[in-house]
């Protein structure tokens, strides 16, 4: 069944959990879609897990459009959310609407995601008024790592916890259809989830959220960089791939691959007439 923003609203009403994974390419998106995951986030984590940057700050609109379009070609049923990269919306409400529009028109996303709280409510409102669904993102927002001083859990103090609640409510009032909460203490995430009428999607925010999202390379152990504590590894695909690459190298060097069945034949008399 096709997932839309209506599916998200209904899931909250019926207390049904939503599943979301990141993807950045056609083949992986197709596998995730076929597994029945509700939504695919083409996250700007692309910069780290696909492009090898140390953080997400260098990711461009062109990167996001290119990868969102590839993901969209692999999907039939998942809701595709394209991430707005650093400086594609912070600069002005106008830029936010124009760039959100590009992710829909050129990337074929169904919705966009924006990091940040109350300060970005005007941007979200304007994008929603242009008929583009927006997913908010609060807590540890990786585009702000320089301001946070690193990848840190957010909301442990009363002041920051209260700010996160206010931010979540502002995003809902601005028209967001869902809110991602990243690295937020589980009990606080539950309080926020109970306050909102739109679904919350947690990543490192406990089981009380209305849904969960993970970076797919983390959950199948394909990313060799830092793996956060909140990730559960569902498969060791990285090891399986490395083993396959080693076996291939070994067989190529020994002349075992390609075997006869991996090639194409030609009649001997054609070969004989060549000289
Ligand atoms: O870019 C991303 O993958 C994200 C998730 C971690 C929520 O924003």
């Amino acid at each position: 069944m096709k997932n839309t923003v209506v599916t998200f609203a209904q899931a909250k009403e019926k207390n049904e959990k939503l599943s979301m994974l990141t993807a950045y390419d056609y083949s992986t998106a197709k596998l995730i879609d076929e597994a029945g995951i509700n939504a695919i986030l083409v996250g700007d984590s692309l910069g780290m897990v696909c492009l090898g940057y140390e953080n997400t700050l260098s990711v461009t609109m062109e990167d996001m459009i290119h990868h969102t379009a590839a993901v969209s070609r692999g999907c039939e049923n998942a809701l595709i959310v394209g991430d707005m990269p650093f400086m594609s919306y912070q600069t002005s409400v106008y830029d936010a609407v124009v760039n959100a529009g590009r992710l829909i028109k050129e990337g074929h996303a169904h919705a966009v995601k924006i990091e940040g709280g109350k300060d970005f409510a005007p941007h979200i409102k304007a994008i929603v008024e242009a008929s583009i669904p927006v997913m908010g993102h609060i807590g540890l927002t990786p585009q702000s790592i320089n301001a946070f001083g690193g990848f840190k859990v957010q909301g442990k103090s009363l002041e920051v916890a209260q700010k996160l609640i206010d931010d979540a409510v502002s995003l809902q009032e601005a028209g967001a259809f869902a809110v991602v909460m990243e690295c937020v203490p589980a009990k606080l995430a539950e309080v926020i989830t109970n306050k909102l009428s739109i679904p919350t999607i947690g990543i490192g925010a406990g089981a009380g959220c209305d849904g969960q999202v993970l970076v797919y390379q983390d959950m199948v152990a394909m990313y060799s960089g830092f793996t956060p504590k909140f990730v559960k590894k569902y498969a060791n695909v990285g090891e399986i791939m490395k083993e396959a690459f080693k076996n291939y190298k070994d067989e190529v060097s020994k002349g075992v691959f390609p075997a006869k069945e991996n090639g194409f034949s030609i009649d001997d008399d054609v070969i004989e007439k060549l000289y």
Side-chain angles (χ1 to χ4, degrees):
M1 211 187 70
K2 217 160 180 61
N3 288 275
T4 67
V5 290
V6 176
T7 318
F8 269 57
Q10 287 173 346
K12 175 92 182 187
E13 262 172 45
K14 295 186 200 156
N15 210 13
E16 286 169 3
K17 298 279 187 188
L18 290 157
S19 55
M20 184 168 186
L21 282 173
T22 65
Y24 317 91
D25 69 280
Y26 167 84
S27 306
T28 314
K30 195 160 187 297
L31 292 173
I32 293 174
D33 189 70
E34 285 168 1
I37 299 292
N38 294 111
I40 292 185
L41 170 65
V42 190
D44 63 355
S45 48
L46 163 80
M48 296 171 78
V49 295
C50 291
L51 305 179
Y53 298 134
E54 67 173 305
N55 55 46
T56 60
L57 302 179
S58 306
V59 176
T60 64
M61 271 305 295
E62 267 54 44
D63 293 332
M64 290 310 305
I65 289 168
H66 183 71
H67 287 267
T68 306
V71 164
S72 96
R73 291 191 284 273
C75 286
E76 268 182 35
N77 294 317
L79 177 82
I80 302 163
V81 183
D83 221 354
M84 300 278 284
F86 185 53
M87 287 299 133
S88 66
Y89 61 94
Q90 288 91 341
T91 41
S92 69
V93 169
Y94 176 82
D95 286 350
V97 177
V98 169
N99 285 320
R102 290 193 68 197
L103 279 176
I104 306 293
K105 281 183 91 158
E106 300 170 55
H108 308 290
H110 304 121
V112 300
K113 178 171 79 58
I114 282 193
E115 291 184 12
K118 210 179 202 147
D119 294 346
F120 294 99
H123 306 62
I124 293 173
K125 190 165 179 291
I127 298 171
V128 171
E129 277 168 6
S131 301
I132 299 172
V134 179
M135 178 175 271
H137 183 166
I138 57 170
L140 169 55
T141 45
Q143 291 176 21
S144 306
I145 48 156
N146 289 326
F148 290 148
F151 292 97
K152 291 179 182 157
V153 176
Q154 300 294 309
K156 285 192 163 220
S157 69
L158 176 60
E159 190 194 355
V160 181
Q162 189 58 60
K163 183 182 178 317
L164 285 179
I165 294 176
D166 295 345
D167 281 341
V169 171
S170 296
L171 300 187
Q172 173 171 289
E173 284 170 356
F177 76 95
V179 181
V180 169
M181 287 195 276
E182 180 166 355
C183 287
V184 171
K187 280 191 180 163
L188 172 61
E190 204 173 330
V191 168
I192 296 175
T193 298
N194 292 337
K195 261 196 187 302
L196 298 186
S197 57
I198 55 172
T200 58
I201 309 294
I203 172 160
C209 297
D210 297 307
Q212 298 293 325
V213 58
L214 283 175
V215 170
Y216 96 82
Q217 281 94 337
D218 286 343
M219 55 89 76
V220 296
M222 272 178 71
Y223 179 57
S224 56
F226 171 72
T227 305
K229 170 184 167 184
F230 57 75
V231 171
K232 177 170 173 180
K233 292 191 176 166
Y234 285 83
N236 210 341
V237 175
E239 271 311 308
I240 294 171
M241 286 174 76
K242 206 190 289 179
E243 202 49 38
F245 300 150
K246 281 184 187 163
N247 288 340
Y248 166 73
K249 176 191 157 40
D250 201 41
E251 291 202 351
V252 168
S253 53
K254 287 182 182 147
V256 174
F257 177 83
K260 207 170 172 192
E261 66 268 23
N262 306 120
F264 305 96
S265 62
I266 183 171
D267 287 343
D268 284 347
D269 52 336
V270 175
I271 294 292
E272 278 155 21
K273 282 182 193 138
L274 286 175
Y275 301 103

